[in-house]
Amino acid sequence: MPEGKLCNRQPVTTKEMLDALLADKSGKQYYEEMKQLDVDAKVFWATIQKSLKSRTKTWLEICAHCGMCADSCFFYLANNKDPKQVPSYKIQSTLGEIVRRKGRVDNEFMHMVMDTAWGKCTCCNRCGTYCPFGIDMGVMMSYLRGLCYSQGFVPWELKIGAGMHRIYRAQMM
């Protein structure tokens, strides 16, 4: 299924769209539709080619996986120093992999990316202050969130929040 009624690539721009999302208690229908959401690899790669700037490309290439960023990440520390919580691993296994695959990723992969982008990083950029190359993981993770959003892989609550902001100019803090 390319797009669902609730889970799709369209931003919430009308009160009717927002009301439909709000009526879906706990996002059950939304997340069921997300399981069927196709990644439009051609559009995805075109978006990346237009928006991935040289600074971010360079950061992806120069990361030495030295681990200096690890001890600055509270997700890493709170999860018993799980290597999958090292900031450089999180960005290379998501954004780095999307770029390496030229946007040819599947639904399952995008679910993992969405979970990492919104559930395993706060974009606090503490890791960037420890990076010897000055790599700004917060900027890269924010960019990754935008890519997820462009393909419809965004948490239900955030889609509602963005819709509230567009329609009512509500704050998103």
Side-chain angles (χ1 to χ4, degrees):
M1 172 173 81
E3 294 189 76
K5 179 182 177 214
L6 301 177
C7 183
N8 52 52
R9 295 176 186 85
Q10 306 306 312
V12 177
T13 56
T14 67
K15 187 174 180 327
E16 292 75 25
M17 292 170 79
L18 182 59
D19 288 343
L21 280 169
L22 290 168
D24 180 27
K25 300 297 179 204
S26 302
K28 286 185 179 185
Q29 180 183 341
Y30 182 84
Y31 287 114
E32 281 302 314
E33 289 178 3
M34 188 182 285
K35 290 177 186 176
Q36 305 301 316
L37 189 61
D38 292 329
V39 177
D40 188 337
K42 188 175 180 180
V43 170
F44 198 32
W45 183 238
T47 300
I48 292 165
Q49 287 180 305
K50 281 187 247 174
S51 60
L52 185 66
K53 303 300 180 193
S54 59
R55 179 177 62 167
T56 306
K57 285 181 192 174
T58 301
W59 284 339
L60 283 172
E61 292 170 6
I62 66 170
C63 178
H65 308 282
C66 66
M68 294 291 290
C69 57
D71 283 327
S72 68
C73 180
F74 60 85
F75 283 98
Y76 173 74
L77 297 173
N79 287 286
N80 299 314
K81 297 189 175 186
D82 178 0
K84 290 184 177 182
Q85 294 293 337
V86 174
S88 60
Y89 176 84
K90 288 185 269 192
I91 205 66
Q92 290 292 340
S93 66
T94 56
L95 180 58
E97 196 59 29
I98 289 168
V99 171
R100 280 188 285 284
R101 294 184 190 184
K102 299 183 189 272
R104 291 187 295 268
V105 294
D106 61 14
N107 181 292
E108 183 180 353
F109 182 82
M110 287 303 292
H111 267 87
M112 180 276 294
V113 171
M114 181 183 78
D115 181 53
T116 301
W118 276 288
K120 297 178 181 170
C121 181
T122 63
C123 296
C124 70
N125 200 35
R126 287 178 43 182
C127 52
T129 62
Y130 288 87
C131 177
F133 298 109
I135 297 171
D136 191 332
M137 295 289 183
V139 165
M140 291 201 297
M141 198 60 76
S142 294
Y143 173 71
L144 180 64
R145 288 175 177 181
L147 290 177
C148 286
Y149 204 100
S150 75
Q151 287 293 309
F153 291 90
V154 58
W156 171 74
E157 300 86 349
L158 187 60
K159 186 128 182 186
I160 290 170
M164 296 282 269
H165 175 72
R166 274 191 199 87
I167 295 164
Y168 299 113
R169 301 293 182 237
Q171 295 294 318
M172 290 188 63
M173 296 180 87

